Amino acid sequence: MLSLSRALGRRLFSSAAAAVEGGAAASTSVVRKAQNPLEEFFEVERSAADDQARPHYGSSDGSFGNKGSKFGAILIGQAAVFIGLSSNALLAQDDSVAPADSSEQADANAAGLRRIEDGSVISNEHTIKWRMCTDNARDYFLKGKLAEAEKLFKAALQEAKEGFGLRDPHVASALNNLAEFYRLRKEYEKAEPLYMEAVEILEQSFGPDDIRVGTALRNLGQYYHIQRRFDQAQTCYERALKIEGRVMGLGHPDYANTLYLLAKVLRQQRKGNDAEALIRESIRILEEAGLGESPKCIHRMRFLSLDLVRSKRLVEAENLQRKILHNLELSKGWDSLDTTMAAETLSVTLQTIGELKESEELLERCLAVRRKILSENHFEVAGILVQLARLTLLKIISDIKVSNDLSRSHLVKAKQLVSDSIRITEGILNPLRENQKKLKSTIGIEREKIGATAVLLQALEVVGLLEATRKRHQEPVSDYENAEQALRKCISLYNEPYTRNVVSKYLRQQYERCLRSLMHIIQHDPDILNAPGMHDLLGESQRIMKELDEEKNTK
């Protein structure tokens, strides 16, 4: 019995730890592929409007509508899976390849795509057209009308050349805008020469140490960064930092922004200590500038805390996560999805270090806020229910002195929680659901499917752990889901075309983990293993695992 208890405990905690390791990468992949391709690099955060109640569509709300909507973050297992961002920012990126993250406030100065307010004295037919083309291209860009935007960016470049001269800084601005456009379209071979020419013109016009050259170098660094050309990105960021430090000062927020970008490059190069030092310096600069409660600073602290968790520095992570939660309570209050996300992250860290009571209190509070802001049947609510079920299992396993009656009540509670989570997510994933028509876009439907599938996989894994715990305590079979049913549903998620695409594109790691966990539990339980048809189910599971491995190897 004791060995089984330890094994279950290790599985619960390792499940949490695996989510920390894989959550960020999986989540950003979801964002990158499920949304407007222009939404990349800018740092975004929920606005006050995003925390207001959203239209309700039956079994799920419409928070994944097209305009003004944003994904939240679901904390499943032991990490936040970030699956969305605000549509009023341009960019969100994969942390594994890109320099900024999808949870900071939009930084309009990160790219050259801005309205033109340069105060130029020269004015003629071409300069007027240049201004109009640039403004209109930017507006089309923000609306996702890419063909129209490209034509106008090209026209703006031509008008700038004719109105200002071939080597004028306005031409450099137009080159940078067009380069940024191509970068976002992943047409990298078109973008690089435009960036290079823009930097060259600015250096000739203002000298190599001008702040405008620094901005252009930072843009070029981001271009190299997203292509994983880390040495070249590092060189650009370091040159930009020297210019920004000299011109704006070492305590300027823009200097801190470039420090953070450089830190991400160093992290990709496995220079963890150097990267951590730069992130901490970036945070310090923002705090001393009075921006300690800003979305930018909160994001960087959150990013650092997850790195601390990954490196098993849990006490440091806990302290930093408490600071994040405190700052968000001051700036946004508790009726905010950002605040609940911070509380969830802290709750999971507390679980890992054994502080289960405080962890549960935080999750219960998050659940109440999510139900209030979202709806009873939102997948983010289902995600918290799964966490509470996992936490309830941990309470049974962690306290060997727990009485049988208390253990039984905990088990019943966990089963009800996970059952409710499965009911919510399956309702969302039902392809015949009428209220799907009420969602504003196919992107909204896709986002909702991804979130619901991610939570359902976590719930099915918990079902298997519940089954093992029930056997340990010799509890009678109940009407709730069992391990065999969970395995069948997991297989069905892969075989059903409606959800297979989601699994293959966005949630492969989560799916493989769930399937392996259920197979392991069944293979070590003779009562389930010898049930009729079980060997066929396990054979089907092995086939799916083989297919997923083959898919992975071909990419």
Side-chain angles (χ1 to χ4, degrees):
M1 291 295 184
L2 185 57
S3 62
L4 176 59
S5 173
R6 287 173 177 167
L8 286 171
R10 283 196 302 271
R11 185 165 290 276
L12 280 166
F13 282 118
S14 66
S15 171
V20 167
E21 293 296 328
S27 64
T28 48
S29 171
V30 168
V31 176
R32 184 181 285 280
K33 295 177 183 177
Q35 68 188 3
N36 185 325
L38 300 179
E39 294 177 341
E40 220 174 301
F41 279 93
F42 277 149
E43 304 167 313
V44 304
E45 188 72 23
R46 295 181 192 267
S47 66
D50 292 317
D51 286 328
Q52 301 304 312
R54 299 171 179 132
H56 179 57
Y57 298 115
S59 65
S60 178
D61 80 346
S63 63
F64 290 155
N66 210 4
K67 202 164 171 148
S69 70
K70 117 172 13 184
F71 276 135
I74 4 173
L75 212 115
I76 330 180
Q78 190 71 5
V81 173
F82 300 96
I83 53 171
L85 59 103
S86 171
S87 62
N88 49 4
L90 289 182
L91 311 161
Q93 73 267 33
D94 183 343
D95 178 54
S96 66
V97 297
D101 208 291
S102 61
S103 52
E104 286 199 30
Q105 185 68 33
D107 179 3
N109 293 320
L113 301 174
R114 301 192 293 273
R115 292 192 183 279
I116 305 304
E117 296 176 358
D118 59 284
S120 299
V121 176
I122 300 174
S123 181
N124 57 42
E125 177 186 356
H126 296 295
T127 61
I128 293 170
K129 287 181 179 179
W130 165 72
R131 292 169 185 274
M132 292 176 60
C133 287
T134 301
D135 277 354
N136 291 334
R138 173 189 177 276
D139 291 339
Y140 279 126
F141 180 87
L142 291 171
K143 293 174 183 176
K145 296 181 178 180
L146 306 186
E148 294 92 335
E150 181 179 13
K151 289 178 184 177
L152 286 170
F153 279 132
K154 286 182 175 180
L157 176 58
Q158 184 59 35
E159 297 296 343
K161 288 179 177 179
E162 295 186 24
F164 295 104
L166 296 179
R167 307 300 287 177
D168 187 87
H170 295 82
V171 174
S173 175
L175 286 165
N176 183 77
N177 280 342
L178 186 57
E180 289 283 282
F181 176 83
Y182 284 133
R183 175 176 65 81
L184 299 176
R185 293 290 304 272
K186 295 183 171 54
E187 297 181 49
Y188 300 124
E189 70 287 349
K190 295 181 181 179
E192 184 170 9
L194 299 173
Y195 279 123
M196 299 293 288
E197 187 178 355
V199 172
E200 184 181 327
I201 290 173
L202 290 172
E203 286 180 328
Q204 290 175 355
S205 299
F206 303 111
D209 296 325
D210 187 83
I211 190 62
R212 285 158 286 201
V213 175
T215 300
L217 286 168
R218 187 167 70 173
N219 286 340
L220 181 58
Q222 290 178 322
Y223 163 78
Y224 287 135
H225 196 166
I226 200 169
Q227 289 199 82
R228 306 184 70 82
R229 294 160 65 177
F230 298 131
D231 289 342
Q232 290 162 289
Q234 180 179 348
T235 299
C236 288
Y237 289 151
E238 286 175 344
R239 281 191 62 193
L241 274 175
K242 287 180 181 179
I243 296 170
E244 290 169 349
R246 183 182 60 81
V247 176
M248 296 184 293
L250 303 182
H252 194 282
D254 281 353
Y255 181 80
N257 293 343
T258 308
L259 272 180
Y260 182 65
L261 295 177
L262 177 58
K264 287 207 160 188
V265 166
L266 296 177
R267 183 174 176 270
Q268 293 288 351
Q269 295 172 310
R270 302 189 182 282
K271 300 174 183 176
N273 291 337
D274 292 338
E276 180 181 330
L278 292 183
I279 293 172
R280 290 186 182 277
E281 177 66 7
S282 173
I283 292 169
R284 183 194 65 78
I285 291 170
L286 292 181
E287 288 179 331
E288 291 188 358
L291 299 172
E293 296 175 13
S294 68
K296 253 185 217 308
C297 195
I298 294 294
H299 167 74
R300 291 171 194 182
M301 288 191 286
R302 183 181 292 138
F303 182 84
L304 177 58
S305 79
L306 291 177
D307 262 358
L308 293 172
V309 169
R310 277 188 283 266
S311 59
K312 313 299 182 187
R313 294 154 65 184
L314 297 180
V315 174
E316 290 179 73
E318 177 195 352
N319 291 336
L320 188 54
Q321 289 165 7
R322 289 187 185 280
K323 182 177 180 179
I324 293 168
L325 180 58
H326 175 72
N327 287 352
L328 285 171
E329 285 182 286
L330 291 177
S331 61
K332 296 194 173 188
W334 255 98
D335 285 348
S336 160
L337 296 176
D338 281 325
T339 305
T340 63
M341 188 176 77
E344 290 174 73
T345 306
L346 174 60
S347 168
V348 176
T349 301
L350 290 171
Q351 289 178 38
T352 308
I353 62 179
E355 298 291 339
L356 302 186
K357 186 174 185 299
E358 185 181 0
S359 175
E360 185 175 31
E361 290 171 352
L362 284 171
L363 284 178
E364 293 284 3
R365 192 168 184 183
C366 290
L367 181 62
V369 173
R370 289 285 170 93
R371 282 173 165 164
K372 176 182 176 181
I373 295 176
L374 301 171
S375 74
E376 289 283 344
N377 294 313
H378 195 280
F379 74 83
E380 291 190 40
V381 171
I384 299 180
L385 294 174
V386 172
Q387 291 181 66
L388 283 167
R390 190 188 301 274
L391 176 61
T392 305
L393 277 177
L394 281 172
K395 288 168 68 176
I396 298 173
I397 293 165
S398 299
D399 190 352
I400 60 174
K401 298 178 181 179
V402 69
S403 68
N404 284 336
D405 288 341
L406 185 57
S407 172
R408 187 175 296 111
S409 69
H410 283 334
L411 202 55
V412 170
K413 178 182 177 181
K415 288 178 178 178
Q416 184 61 60
L417 288 167
V418 79
S419 178
D420 287 344
S421 179
I422 291 172
R423 172 185 56 78
I424 292 170
T425 52
E426 288 186 331
I428 294 170
L429 292 173
N430 180 1
L432 301 178
R433 187 162 53 99
E434 290 261 341
N435 47 46
Q436 256 187 35
K437 300 173 185 177
K438 297 181 181 179
L439 289 172
K440 295 181 180 179
S441 69
T442 55
I443 291 177
I445 296 171
E446 182 80 353
R447 290 172 173 177
E448 192 182 34
K449 280 169 55 181
I450 294 167
T453 305
V455 175
L456 180 56
L457 288 170
Q458 290 291 322
L460 294 177
E461 184 178 353
V462 171
V463 168
L465 298 173
L466 278 168
E467 181 85 356
T469 306
R470 181 186 69 79
K471 290 290 185 68
R472 175 203 167 199
H473 289 274
Q474 299 180 340
E475 293 295 326
V477 177
S478 68
D479 294 331
Y480 293 104
E481 302 273 353
N482 57 43
E484 178 184 349
Q485 291 170 323
L487 182 60
R488 290 184 184 278
K489 288 184 175 182
C490 189
I491 291 171
S492 176
L493 280 174
Y494 184 79
N495 289 336
E496 171 58 55
Y498 189 68
T499 49
R500 179 170 181 166
N501 185 54
V502 170
V503 169
S504 296
K505 288 176 68 177
Y506 309 122
L507 301 171
R508 181 185 287 111
Q509 288 183 348
Q510 291 91 328
Y511 184 85
E512 288 177 346
R513 177 176 181 83
C514 177
L515 191 59
R516 283 197 186 98
S517 177
L518 292 169
M519 290 171 63
H520 178 83
I521 288 168
I522 289 171
Q523 288 166 342
H524 288 78
D525 188 323
D527 292 338
I528 307 176
L529 184 60
N530 296 323
M534 184 52 64
H535 287 283
D536 291 338
L537 274 181
L538 291 174
E540 177 76 351
S541 301
Q542 293 286 2
R543 179 190 66 78
I544 291 173
M545 292 297 296
K546 183 178 179 181
E547 283 189 17
L548 288 171
D549 283 340
E550 289 173 353
E551 279 184 18
K552 191 178 354 180
N553 293 332
T554 57
K555 292 186 177 181

